[in-house]
């Protein structure tokens, strides 16, 4: 436990929630991807299911952990954070925000009358993708605030919108 605290610069026990939540979310992601692959290869409801999901899930878990640790090293100097555990919180916020924005865009597209069955596929997906952008911007700030990273995401938001030519919103 002390190794984890030292590596992630954790001073208080409540901060341990970030590495553990990150590990749990990677486990869930690995399991979900393994299940999707299982269905893709039509191996569900067979004996192979009991072999395939744990083996692929564990392999994906270790690959994803290595990938995220590599990302942490690359972004450590670029992102201005006080403690390393904050980077885990930031990654979790990005993951939750992206997933939630994608999920919320579907019902919103239906609600404005551009449902999947009522409109052409190109128009539906174009509208849905354009709806994801503003949903993402709002949710990013809210979820970032919930994880105690409001200032990081507020600065991130301003920088991103300035690059997109919408810097006039912050003058």
């Amino acid at each position: 436990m002390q190794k984890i605290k030292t590596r992630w610069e954790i001073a208080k026990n409540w901060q341990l929630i970030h590495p553990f939540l990150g590990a749990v979310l990677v486990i869930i992601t690995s399991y979900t991807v393994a299940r999707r692959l299982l269905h893709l290869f039509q191996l569900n409801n067979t004996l192979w299911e009991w072999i395939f999901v744990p083996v692929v899930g564990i392999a994906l878990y270790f690959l994803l952990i290595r990938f995220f640790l590599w990302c942490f090293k690359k972004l450590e100097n670029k992102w201005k954070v006080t403690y390393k555990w904050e980077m885990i919180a930031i990654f979790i916020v990005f993951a939750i925000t992206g997933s939630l924005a994608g999920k919320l865009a579907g019902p919103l597209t239906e609600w404005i009358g551009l449902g999947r069955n009522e409109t052409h596929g190109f128009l539906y997906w174009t509208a849905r993708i354009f709806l994801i952008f503003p949903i993402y911007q709002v949710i990013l700030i809210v979820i970032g605030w919930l994880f105690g990273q409001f200032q990081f995401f507020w600065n991130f938001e301003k920088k991103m919108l300035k690059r997109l030519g919408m810097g006039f919103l912050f003058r």
Side-chain angles (χ1 to χ4, degrees), residues 3-127:
K3 246 179 152 176
I4 293 172
K5 284 183 171 184
T6 305
R7 179 179 182 149
W8 295 105
E9 299 174 350
I10 294 174
K12 298 181 178 148
N13 285 337
W14 69 267
Q15 296 165 342
L16 281 168
I17 190 75
H18 295 97
F20 288 118
L21 182 60
V24 167
L25 290 174
V26 173
I27 289 169
I28 292 169
T29 302
S30 301
Y31 173 77
T32 305
V33 171
R35 293 285 302 170
R36 293 284 169 112
L37 287 172
L38 180 81
H39 290 284
L40 182 70
F41 295 122
Q42 297 177 353
L43 295 173
N44 50 321
N45 299 326
T46 66
L47 176 64
W48 290 103
E49 180 175 9
W50 294 98
I51 299 167
F52 186 84
V53 172
V55 170
V56 172
I58 290 169
L60 280 172
Y61 174 78
F62 286 108
L63 284 172
L64 287 172
I65 290 292
R66 288 189 57 91
F67 172 71
F68 292 135
L69 290 174
W70 176 79
C71 289
F72 288 148
K73 280 185 181 181
K74 293 290 183 188
L75 295 170
E76 193 170 23
N77 296 326
K78 186 174 181 171
W79 289 351
K80 305 294 186 244
V81 293
T82 310
Y83 304 104
K84 287 184 181 179
W85 63 264
E86 291 177 306
M87 291 191 64
I88 298 171
I90 291 167
F91 268 65
I92 291 171
V93 169
F94 277 126
I96 291 171
T97 303
S99 301
L100 194 55
K103 289 285 186 189
L104 292 176
L108 189 58
T109 307
E110 298 280 338
W111 183 72
I112 62 172
L114 296 173
R116 185 178 237 166
N117 298 329
E118 292 86 32
T119 59
H120 188 271
F122 178 77
L123 181 61
Y124 169 78
W125 284 106
T126 304

Side-chain angles (χ1 to χ4, degrees), residues 145-160:
W145 174 75
L146 289 173
F147 274 81
Q149 299 299 319
F150 175 80
Q151 197 58 51
F152 175 86
F153 285 104
W154 182 245
N155 292 335
F156 182 86
E157 192 74 35
K158 289 190 291 189
K159 187 176 178 181
M160 181 172 56

